[in-house]
Amino acid sequence: MEKIIDIANAIRKHTGEEKEMKVVNPSMGRGYIRMNGTEQQVWLTNNEYESTTRIIRGMNDEYQGTEDSGITHTHTKDGPYTSKNTAYGSIFIDQKCGEYQIKVRGRDMKFTLLNSTLYSQLNWRVSNVRMVLEGEKYKYQFKTLAEIFKAIEEDTQTLNETEENIRQQQAAAEKFKKEQEEYERRLKEAEAAEAARIQAEKEKKEEEERIRQEELAKLMEKKEKIESNLHQLEEQHRHAVRFIREQASLRLQPILDPLQNQAKFAHLYDGKTLVIDGGPGTGKTTTLIQRLKLLIDELALNDYRDNHPGFELTPAQQELVCKGDNWIFFSPTALLRLYLNDNMSYEGLTNTLSRTHVWEDYRKLLLRDYYQIAGTDMPFTFPASRIRDKKLFIGSHTDIEKQFTGFYIRYIKEMFEQIRQIETKEFAWKDTSNIIKFYCREIQAAKTLEQLIRVLLNFQNHDKLNSTEGEHSIKNITRTFSEQLTSAASLLQAHIEQDEACNQSVQALLKEWEATPVDESEQEEEEEIEETEEEAIHLSHEQRHALNRRLKALLRLLALRKYDKKARLQGKTKNCMNEYPSTSMKRN
């Protein structure tokens, strides 16, 4: 049976060779199976293997040989591979050890999954390692591959030191035994006058031996605890510091969790509509992208058809589906559209920019290009309830462009003018705030969109150009604020949990909030808090997580109100302050 260190060494060796060979289809998981009485490792990859050998033909198209392109697509020298888009790969992703029987390229295959390990590999760096071993109820999780070796090395070193201390104590005990024997021999030969003194010396040595035995027992107990810790690494790392989400979930996630993978393969061309529902950061968009790739991938659909007899697409229909340019994807924001482009390209989708649109922009393009209409007094929004009784016009769009440019410049100026009015004299970083206010004044002086963009770009690049400012740089000020906000929220949460009556009331309030819709302004406040933090905590209870998130949003608003009179408490945050005005929240 493989151990954690064996699996880690195998992954380190394989990914290191992938880095040396610069493969274009790197691994993202490893399974260890038993098939036909033989155990072997199988590597999980993002895509199917593609040949890098080119056939050379003459002027008359006659075969003259082959030529290697020099590019390694998939590393297969230390074991077979399988794509994540196959039924074989899905078993490794589910991470449930046991016996399986599937079809691989039309052939029956029966095997036993002994262990499964999934990981992310970006820029040849292995991270987010998740490991399941046969016969163990825990799922092991590590931030990086190096963390596994470090934890085992530290505990092994401590165990060796403890064993060395035990050997020293045993040697001391053996020495004492010899001394005691010598003492007893001399005692028999001693004169009666020395008997009292020798007896006292014996009692002293016995007391020293008793102390040594007690120390030896403590060391043995410590050794047992260390040995137990070597088998409980998963418990130690379950409570390690890490955000469940990173930067509003805009991250690469090549491997889906079992529920996401189940949604990815559900209802493929069976005439039923699939709805993927979940909260922020649960991986809905990532699941949609991988499902889209699956829906138009010929090899993946062939594998699905082999393992699902009820698959209804005919070969002609499947050929039409797999053309690759018959899809469109709508994004709610331009920022998410950039994320979609990166992840779609990683999944092998092509022409993603031309196939992905922001719905608001696409709707306006339809109105402009197909219907040639626009509102008269709402130049950039088209809600049906507001334009139902409005007159619409047909003609040139130059006026709309001018109106939008003017609207955008006014909006940016108003936003930065509010920032400029905030009082910052009492802060240690007041010099940095003066620089920010300087850019705010420059923005007020801009008259054209080109001038405004130039000032905004200079403002954006300022902190990069002035990184030598040290602790008072814009990035460090933001980081310090985030750390203080986290510390204050944790302290306040501890006070609430110590007060049983207050804690019960707060928990009841959280349950009430869960049953009510989330206001958009409150959601934006919580998202702003999450975007400013670089680390997060895996909490043991969802309500403690929700309370901590609410406290951060509340403390942030209370701090902002002191220096910005326009900042207002609203929604659930305001109700919370009105209902609990005398709690430890006020004291903090």
Side-chain angles (χ1 to χ4, degrees), residues 297-313:
D297 189 295
E298 184 176 3
L299 292 177
L301 289 179
N302 287 336
D303 178 85
Y304 186 85
R305 181 181 59 197
D306 292 342
N307 290 277
H308 296 79
F311 188 65
E312 298 178 354
L313 283 184

Side-chain angles (χ1 to χ4, degrees), residues 128-131 139-143 147 234 237:
N128 192 22
V129 182
R130 292 156 287 164
M131 189 181 301
K139 177 182 288 186
Y140 296 91
Q141 280 189 295
F142 305 94
K143 297 177 184 177
E147 184 182 82
E234 187 274 339
H237 291 281

Side-chain angles (χ1 to χ4, degrees), residues 294-493:
L294 176 64
L295 289 172
I296 63 175
D297 189 295
E298 184 176 3
L299 292 177
L301 289 179
N302 287 336
D303 178 85
Y304 186 85
R305 181 181 59 197
D306 292 342
N307 290 277
H308 296 79
F311 188 65
E312 298 178 354
L313 283 184
T314 65
Q317 290 174 327
Q318 184 171 334
E319 181 180 358
L320 180 63
V321 165
C322 296
K323 285 185 177 181
D325 59 350
N326 54 353
W327 59 273
I328 187 170
F329 202 109
F330 288 106
S331 166
T333 65
L335 177 62
L336 184 59
R337 181 171 178 262
L338 295 177
Y339 158 67
L340 291 173
N341 180 54
D342 291 340
N343 275 30
M344 285 179 172
S345 299
Y346 182 82
E347 291 298 329
L349 296 171
T350 58
N351 299 325
T352 57
L353 287 178
S354 63
R355 309 304 303 170
T356 308
H357 300 277
V358 178
W359 171 243
E360 288 296 326
D361 297 338
Y362 191 78
R363 182 182 66 170
K364 295 172 186 178
L365 290 175
L366 290 177
L367 289 172
R368 186 194 71 186
D369 297 337
Y370 290 91
Y371 301 100
Q372 296 186 345
I373 63 174
T376 57
D377 59 348
M378 291 80 64
F380 314 116
T381 57
F382 301 91
S385 60
R386 296 180 61 188
I387 68 172
R388 184 178 295 112
D389 300 326
K390 302 294 181 180
K391 294 182 179 180
L392 303 177
F393 65 90
I394 299 177
S396 172
H397 304 97
T398 305
D399 292 339
I400 298 178
E401 180 181 356
K402 292 179 180 178
Q403 291 177 28
F404 175 78
T405 302
F407 164 78
Y408 181 76
I409 293 176
R410 289 194 304 274
Y411 172 78
I412 295 297
K413 286 186 176 182
E414 290 173 1
M415 181 178 64
F416 278 88
E417 178 61 22
Q418 292 178 4
I419 296 175
R420 191 180 69 84
Q421 293 177 2
I422 297 177
E423 187 58 56
T424 57
K425 292 182 179 179
E426 64 180 88
F427 293 105
W429 42 268
K430 58 185 178 181
D431 292 338
T432 302
S433 71
N434 291 333
I435 296 175
I436 297 175
K437 292 182 178 181
F438 166 78
Y439 283 108
C440 293
R441 288 192 294 271
E442 289 290 308
I443 289 172
Q444 296 301 318
K447 296 182 179 180
T448 65
L449 188 60
E450 181 181 357
Q451 292 173 351
L452 180 63
I453 293 175
R454 185 179 295 110
V455 176
L456 291 175
L457 288 176
N458 291 337
F459 182 36
Q460 182 183 20
N461 294 328
H462 173 79
D463 199 51
K464 298 178 182 178
L465 299 175
N466 295 275
S467 59
T468 56
E469 291 183 8
E471 61 180 355
H472 292 163
S473 68
I474 296 175
K475 288 184 179 180
N476 284 339
I477 293 171
T478 304
R479 186 181 299 109
T480 302
F481 170 75
S482 175
E483 293 172 353
Q484 292 176 348
L485 188 64
T486 300
S487 176
S490 299
L491 179 61
L492 183 55
Q493 183 171 356

